Amino acid sequence: MKIAVLKERRPGETRVAATPETVKKFIGLACGVVVESGAGDSSHISDSAFEEAGASIAQSAADAVKGADVILKVARPMTGADGENEVSGLPANTILVSSLQALTEKDTVEALATQKVTAFAMELMPRISRAQSMDILSSQSNLSGYKAVIDAAATFGRAMPMMMTAAGTIAPARVLVFGAGVAGLQAIATAKRLGAVVMATDVRYAAKEQVESLGGKFIVVDEEAMKAAETEGGYAKEMSDEFKQKQADAVRAEVIKADIVITTALIPGRPAPKLVAADVVADMKPGSIIVDLAVESGGNVEGSQFGETVMTDNGVTIIGHANMPARLARDSSALFSRNLFNFLSTMIDKETGNLAIDWDDDVVTGTLVTKDGNVVHPRLTGEGGNS
């Protein structure tokens, strides 16, 4: 079986879908690996490093995918609407394993179906225990939460920890984190390691224990509503307008007191909920920092701008970096590529190196979006509830 690893072409995408480590593992399963030249450059992985691991180097994407059974990518392939049509270069009947943003980028999914590509959307990985090592959302969000705090601290004009000096005491920074999922918990842990006082809020009451275990203080809004706010898959549900108002009132005072605010709240397949209104930002202290990790889905903060850092009239900096994991390309590529290997290795016959896909496997049915020229995922065909 031949596996092709393509160079990412979307602006700002610095990650790569394989590393020398995973190339060696695939070769150990009797697979051949071809890497497009330059695929690892932005992650500081040279063509020669891939060659030393046993991969062949192709000079173009067309050469890489020629004869390929499986194609690995990080970001969804571009269509003609993006200025360059990567989908048209994918051979029919090949398998694509990638992040596809399938629930919101349905035109891409349709294009893949038309091209007769069998596509797996890794962001749809089911939240089951045996799939944890395949979960790209968790691995990449973990790094995003860390980097959000590091970026905020680098922009913040003060020290993070309390410092007692002969000239007097410096108070610790106050950090408020919205959302206690993977990104939020890592943000809490990172801020605590830097010496900040950390507060956190989440619609799920179950997050309280996790926040407190990391040294943060959890803000309780409506205990009963929060206990009912988590889906079976571990995601947060869309909350009522009444709850959102209660939450806004409860955290407003904390936002105003905070030096750094990190927002991480996302709802799969829907725009990010607005959690910090413009009038609240207007009441924050000059020099305060906000990092909106949900900016790619519309943002949790009024005034955040996708891919930009802006300063408000009252001196608050709002950071809206696009693709936060790509700002830690080497580590995020390492984790992403392991997720792909752990997923794909379950479909490879260990004796022959050929594909042996169990189409009834939960991780297969949970991520498969196109097959035989059709869109097949229930959440995209209207058979699986909200899409």
Side-chain angles (χ1 to χ4, degrees):
M1 183 178 75
K2 176 181 175 181
I3 298 171
V5 180
L6 296 185
K7 181 177 181 178
E8 300 299 321
R9 287 170 166 77
R10 286 192 176 275
E13 184 54 79
T14 61
R15 294 171 290 177
V16 62
T19 63
E21 174 195 351
T22 58
V23 166
K24 289 179 182 178
K25 289 181 177 180
F26 279 125
I27 290 173
L29 293 176
C31 300
V33 181
V34 178
V35 178
E36 183 183 354
S37 181
D41 287 355
S42 296
S43 298
H44 307 291
I45 304 173
S46 64
D47 287 352
S48 61
F50 280 118
E51 287 184 303
E52 289 171 10
S56 301
I57 302 298
Q59 294 306 308
S60 68
D63 290 340
V65 301
K66 187 176 181 180
D69 300 287
V70 176
I71 297 167
L72 303 183
K73 279 184 57 35
V74 176
R76 63 187 174 89
M78 292 190 286
T79 63
D82 300 306
E84 180 177 349
N85 196 335
E86 291 182 280
V87 172
S88 64
L90 303 178
N93 302 315
T94 53
I95 291 174
L96 172 67
V97 183
S98 175
S99 170
L100 294 177
Q101 297 174 281
L103 298 183
T104 54
E105 301 295 340
K106 296 179 183 179
D107 288 348
T108 300
V109 176
E110 292 285 355
L112 289 167
T114 299
Q115 192 71 10
K116 295 187 177 180
V117 171
T118 298
F120 290 94
M122 290 295 288
E123 76 278 4
L124 299 181
M125 187 65 61
R127 289 288 179 95
I128 56 178
S129 58
R130 71 183 181 88
Q132 288 179 356
S133 65
M134 312 172 193
D135 187 353
I136 64 168
L137 294 184
S138 292
S139 72
Q140 303 303 289
S141 294
N142 190 51
L143 290 169
S144 293
Y146 163 81
K147 185 60 172 168
V149 175
I150 298 303
D151 285 352
T155 306
F156 189 45
R158 288 177 41 209
M160 293 286 282
M162 182 176 72
M163 294 184 180
M164 301 181 70
T165 75
T169 299
I170 297 174
R174 293 180 64 91
V175 175
L176 174 61
V177 178
F178 281 81
V182 174
L185 291 174
Q186 183 57 250
I188 293 165
T190 303
K192 285 298 294 184
R193 285 195 292 266
L194 292 176
V197 173
V198 183
M199 307 282 290
T201 180
D202 192 288
V203 299
R204 299 164 300 132
Y205 189 78
K208 181 175 184 290
E209 183 177 348
Q210 294 171 301
V211 169
E212 292 176 346
S213 72
L214 294 172
K217 181 179 178 182
F218 190 73
I219 302 170
V220 177
V221 179
D222 180 329
E223 185 172 331
E224 291 305 314
M226 294 171 81
K227 286 181 177 179
E230 186 170 354
T231 68
E232 290 183 5
Y235 295 101
K237 292 180 180 178
E238 178 75 45
M239 302 301 287
S240 67
D241 290 340
E242 180 183 3
F243 179 88
K244 290 177 183 177
Q245 186 59 53
K246 286 182 180 179
Q247 185 184 46
D249 293 341
V251 302
R252 181 185 183 105
E254 293 301 331
V255 172
I256 293 170
K257 289 188 291 184
D259 298 300
I260 294 172
V261 175
I262 312 287
T263 67
T264 71
L266 291 167
I267 301 170
R270 298 195 180 198
K274 293 297 182 187
L275 302 178
V276 183
D279 64 319
V280 179
V281 176
D283 286 338
M284 292 179 70
K285 298 173 291 188
S288 300
I289 310 294
I290 301 174
V291 182
D292 190 345
L293 285 180
V295 71
E296 292 184 77
S297 297
N300 298 141
V301 182
E302 283 193 67
S304 65
Q305 299 292 322
F306 176 71
E308 297 184 19
T309 297
V310 298
M311 181 175 288
T312 65
D313 292 340
N314 60 316
V316 176
T317 300
I318 306 177
I319 298 172
H321 290 314
N323 197 353
M324 188 67 86
R327 295 171 61 79
L328 294 167
R330 186 67 179 257
D331 287 336
S332 56
S333 294
L335 297 182
F336 193 100
S337 63
R338 289 172 195 160
N339 293 146
L340 298 194
F341 173 81
N342 292 334
F343 174 69
L344 193 55
S345 64
T346 65
M347 307 178 183
I348 298 174
D349 185 294
K350 305 304 186 288
E351 298 296 326
T352 65
N354 294 324
L355 281 170
I357 301 174
D358 178 359
W359 297 103
D360 295 320
D361 189 327
D362 287 345
V363 299
V364 172
T365 59
T367 55
L368 181 67
V369 293
T370 62
K371 185 173 184 282
D372 298 329
N374 299 306
V375 177
V376 297
H377 197 283
R379 295 180 71 181
L380 296 172
T381 60
E383 300 172 10
N386 294 332
S387 61

